[in-house]
Amino acid sequence: MALPSNHEVTQLLRAWTAGDKSALEKLTPLVYDELHSVARRCMAGERTDHTLQTTALVNEVYLRLVDCGRVNWQDRAHFFAVSAQLMRRILIDFARSRGYQKRGGGTIQISLDEAPLVSCEPDSDIVAIDGALKSLAVVDERKSKVVELRFFGGLSIEETAEVLRVSTETVVRDWRLAKVWLLRELSQET
Amino acid sequence: MENTRWLQIEELFHRAVKLDDALRVEFLRHACGGDEQLRRELESLLAQQKKSEQFLETPAVELIGELIANEAKLEDDHRLIGTTISHYRVVERLGGGGMGDVFRAIRADHAYERHVALKLINTGRHSPFFIKRFKVERQILASLDHPNIARLFDGGTTDDGVPYLVMEYIQGEPITAYCDNHRLSIADRLKLFVQVCSAVHYAHQHLIIHRDIKPDNILTTPDGDAKLMDFGIAKILEVDADPRQHQTTMTGAFTPAYASPEQIKGDAISTATDVYSLGVVLYEILTGRLPYRAPNHAPHELARAICEVEPERPSTAAVFRASTAVDKISPESLSACRNTTPEKLARTLSGDLDQILLKALRKEPQHRYTSAQALADDLQAYALGLPVSARRGTFSYRAAKFVRRNKLMLSVAAVILLIMFSGAVAIIREARVARMARFRAEQRFEALRKLTNSMLFEFHDSIENLPGSTAARELVVRRSLEYLEQIAAEANDDPATLRDLAAAYERIGRIRAEEGHPHVGGSFQQARELYTKALAIRQNLVAANPDDVALQMDLLGTMSNMAAVYTALGELDGALDFYQRRLEIERKLQATHDSEELRYKIAGSHIGIADVEQSLGNYASAIDHLHQALALDQSLSEKAPSSLRFLGGVWRSHAYLAMVLKYDKKYAEAAAESRKGLGISEELTARDPNNSEFQRWLINDYESLCASLAYAGSFSEVRGLCGKAIEINGAMVKSDPNNVQARADFANTNMTMGVALYIMRSLQEALRFERRADAIYRDVARQDPDSLTNAVDHATTLIYAGRIEARLHQPESASQDLERAEKMLEESLAASPKNQYFANTLEEARTALRALPNDTAPLAVH
């Protein structure tokens, strides 16, 4: 597949935020392919250091997709927010398409015999989390944003605080409460 | 939910979450008053607190990323089936592991079909650097040729740039499963395991460490042959941009359950690492258990146990460890797999086998078996009913510890010896009586030889560095000699025993020479006497068996020991004579029995001659011999590029040439030779970072290059090179403070740095380094007062210090230093009157003294 120009992706992202639904349809395969190739390289290579891997994965996908010089977003924060949103959509679609859902087809679980590449709770079902997150948005919009930025966008506490224009202390508190709220929500579903 | 209600919940949640359980209940009752709904809401949230700590902490993209990567890999695998890589047609996927996927493939371009295992290395970084290193490693691994090691046939990179290896295709099951499925007895299990040890030992002799020994890597064929897989692959996987970082970047390249403490901690890896993993595998083969109880094998629990917990005695683990999630098999059924009962199994394992396993599993690498072969030897000794070294080892180990604690109780060491020797007496007597029972006698003689060996080496070495152990060591050596004479009387011209006797004389001679005390007790003299005895025996053996090449080779070895001891005694003519006679014999032998080994020895003789010639000041002759040695070494190394020994020979020739050229004031040529040597020593230290010998070579090259460049007036690299030498050398001294040699080297490095700075006219700085070298040499002299080499190097340091001080207008300290140097050199020259180098240096000290108080002459260098 011919690589999309960074310019093209930037245009699509902008169109999508402006409310153009068809832009998302064009964006998704582009992001997916990029994710695919970056993920493969990350898995093949630096398996020894998974924090580095996460950052590499998220940052590389963004950096390769978006021509930063051409981004005339209002600011960096907006860019992060949009990216996290986009990533959420794409990851959920991916998980749904592969049937990585409750008990259906293999939940994301890492065997203990293998070196722990990714520390991951056995039942983190991404599709279910997305659903619970929607309910949380109804109760407390900002907390759901915190989760979106942290979990789907891969942002740090500090970056999240910057995007939401609140203190890091607030992000820490929101994050803590949001997690227990979501867990309770998920446990009630089963 | 109403906004105010939610805010109230939030507020109370954050206050409650900080409290411990008891306070929390109290707090909630108080804060919620009668509002039951509020209390339940908060409690249900707080109940999730513990579980939520890890929740969502791994970003979604990473979780998905792994799935995508796995999918992609499976797709790739599928695509590969039926395709051809190089000459191999991929048939099926056999499995995958930490390092990549393995396929069965068929060599397609031959009349016959050969099945191979094709392993894709798809976890490594595929940079050009990686690929280059991969090639080097591959060549070395391909040279491993042992019946119990899966052969590496071929390798390369696929069209997509993925490196692959083609290996012998082994149909078999992991050794543990094989033993259980065939209900092998403990004795049969040991026999099988000894094969594994010999394979590992073979690889170690080629300086290849496995790093990931585990049952899955030891397949056993239906014929009962053990085959080690994936030798050295772990090393390929950890190749990194910086070769010095090997041992620290290897996390994940091993399997935790079989990993050694040093692997867990990221410390230096050595052959002892493999010995440890062999111990774990043997533990499992014998007991059906792993050495540590880790309730659910949580990686961090296991890691802690490996580093801190003493392994359970195998005899206990097999029979008394209750069944758990990990140890599913009951003692009854695991005993049945071994054709025995739990009681009998416990009895078989307790004692020798317990000790052997615990020795292999020691936390400190230096306290394990010194080699895989030593482990195998002990297992075989056990099988034959002979004493095992693991028990002797703990004994002398404990004795050594005891001596360390009680310096005054050194007589204990003597008592231990008496006990050991009374055993030896009994053996000799028995052997005499049992002459007709020849087999038995041979076995006993073997045991005696082992015992003498153990005394001369294990025991002698274990107490060697203990302060105040001289008397005990003296006793060991003297008694060993007495026994040797007895064996000689028993030997009745039996060539094999005579050969051993000569070897033993030589060994004791070497111990004497290493003690090297020309004034105290005349050890070099004694060494010469012992070598002379060995030489006489060897010459007689050669005369009686003129066609036995091995005996001639032995003789050559003794002759070079002779030459070395003559050199040490300062009798250079005698040394030269021995080297030249050796060369003559070698040339004659070459006409009928040319071999690589012989050529290597001839190169050694040239080096020996060159060494004496340069001491006599005959630089041209020395250089000529060194060129002959270099030519031989290079052709040997070209024919066997994977031989580290031959490569070491090439290094040695370059290093000697650099030294002699420098003495001959041909600095540019000297620098060129140093650079060639450096290329080799850097490669060798990268391959085996823990080899202190290679480190010494590296330091030598940095240092001599630094000196030659400084003399030649090209200063740009000088500081950097010397800094490197000092850094590596400093680390060596720090890691082994008792190593006198390392400290003498360190002093020398500092001296060279000082000289280089002196030439570069940084006088103050130069003086600081010379002072430091002086201090280290003084310290070294306290520990090793009779080394002539150290004394002369120390004197040289003082000459430099004195001359620098003269230029800094400090005539008093200058004359003090120079007078000290003069005195030391006079003494050294008295001990070795023909040494031209000593004489030159003394002359230099006197010239410098005469030039005081205003030394303005240019720096004389040698």
Side-chain angles (χ1 to χ4, degrees), chain B residues 454-526:
Chain B
S454 130
M455 280 185 305
L456 278 178
F457 294 95
E458 266 182 55
F459 191 81
H460 178 273
D461 293 352
S462 72
I463 60 173
E464 191 179 3
N465 291 324
L466 294 181
S469 67
T470 318
R473 260 160 54 203
E474 189 52 40
L475 189 61
V476 174
V477 171
R478 216 172 44 229
R479 284 293 163 92
S480 302
L481 266 177
E482 285 169 19
Y483 281 100
L484 284 171
E485 309 286 351
Q486 286 209 40
I487 299 174
E490 292 290 313
N492 278 345
D493 297 335
D494 170 37
T497 312
L498 284 172
R499 198 175 168 201
D500 279 350
L501 181 63
Y505 278 133
E506 246 183 289
R507 279 172 184 173
I508 300 180
R510 214 170 304 146
I511 290 176
R512 287 299 198 219
E514 274 161 17
E515 287 166 1
H517 296 176
H519 311 303
V520 187
S523 290
F524 277 128
Q525 246 90 17
Q526 279 190 19

Side-chain angles (χ1 to χ4, degrees), chain B residues 603-622:
Chain B
S605 294
H606 282 299
I607 300 263
I609 294 173
D611 188 44
V612 180
E613 291 282 33
Q614 65 86 9
S615 292
L616 291 166
N618 305 329
Y619 297 134
S621 161

Side-chain angles (χ1 to χ4, degrees), chain B residues 181-403:
Chain B
N181 292 340
H182 291 75
R183 296 172 67 101
L184 294 192
S185 67
I186 292 295
D188 288 339
R189 284 168 194 246
L190 290 176
K191 262 187 222 155
L192 182 60
F193 187 77
V194 164
Q195 289 182 14
V196 180
C197 290
S198 87
V200 172
H201 185 66
Y202 169 85
H204 286 177
Q205 286 178 316
H206 288 71
L207 284 181
I208 296 171
I209 303 173
H210 192 297
R211 293 155 189 251
D212 193 17
I213 294 177
K214 57 180 172 183
D216 286 349
N217 276 337
I218 311 171
L219 295 187
T220 309
T221 66
D223 297 338
D225 294 323
K227 291 270 192 181
L228 249 101
M229 319 286 293
D230 290 349
F231 236 108
I233 306 288
K235 171 93 178 269
I236 291 186
L237 290 180
E238 57 191 63
V239 168
D240 198 271
D242 181 358
R244 301 201 144 271
Q245 297 294 314
H246 277 177
Q247 61 261 51
T248 53
T249 56
M250 68 164 314
T251 344
F254 54 81
T255 311
Y258 301 89
S260 59
E262 61 267 26
Q263 280 173 305
I264 300 284
K265 289 191 258 179
D267 288 348
I269 303 300
S270 67
T271 51
T273 307
D274 280 352
V275 171
Y276 181 93
S277 300
L278 280 174
V280 182
V281 173
L282 180 60
Y283 197 109
E284 196 179 0
I285 289 175
L286 296 182
T287 68
R289 313 282 198 215
L290 287 167
Y292 305 100
R293 292 177 194 235
N296 44 21
H297 267 198
H300 63 281
E301 288 271 331
L302 187 60
R304 197 188 61 82
I306 290 170
C307 297
E308 293 169 13
V309 180
E310 286 306 315
E312 198 170 4
R313 267 176 195 281
S315 52
T316 321
V319 182
F320 298 107
R321 202 185 283 182
S323 299
T324 62
V326 179
D327 298 317
K328 290 188 190 101
I329 313 166
S330 70
E332 286 70 28
S333 48
L334 75 83
S335 302
C337 284
R338 287 158 181 76
N339 255 328
T340 183
T341 63
E343 295 70 36
K344 281 189 192 155
L345 180 60
R347 229 175 302 138
T348 309
L349 294 177
S350 72
D352 286 350
L353 288 176
D354 273 348
Q355 293 305 328
I356 289 173
L357 280 167
L358 294 178
K359 181 165 179 184
L361 293 174
R362 286 270 176 81
K363 306 284 178 216
E364 316 85 355
Q366 69 273 23
H367 290 149
R368 294 176 204 146
Y369 284 99
T370 50
S371 67
Q373 190 56 51
L375 170 60
D377 287 347
D378 242 9
L379 292 172
Q380 276 165 328
Y382 165 80
L384 289 170
L386 295 171
V388 302
S389 84
R391 299 188 112 173
R392 220 163 48 211
T394 39
F395 188 50
S396 67
Y397 170 58
R398 281 197 196 130
K401 260 193 167 162
F402 183 78
V403 175

Side-chain angles (χ1 to χ4, degrees), chain B residues 690-708:
Chain B
N690 303 315
N691 188 317
S692 58
E693 190 59 29
F694 293 163
Q695 284 180 345
R696 284 192 67 197
W697 295 5
L698 186 62
I699 293 166
N700 173 81
D701 291 339
Y702 279 137
E703 208 185 301
S704 71
L705 180 57
C706 162
S708 296

Side-chain angles (χ1 to χ4, degrees), chain B residues 84-104:
Chain B
T84 303
I85 294 175
S86 177
H87 309 291
Y88 304 93
R89 187 157 48 79
V90 181
V91 179
E92 62 169 336
R93 186 169 182 276
L94 294 172
M99 56 198 61
D101 297 279
V102 191
F103 297 87
R104 184 163 64 83

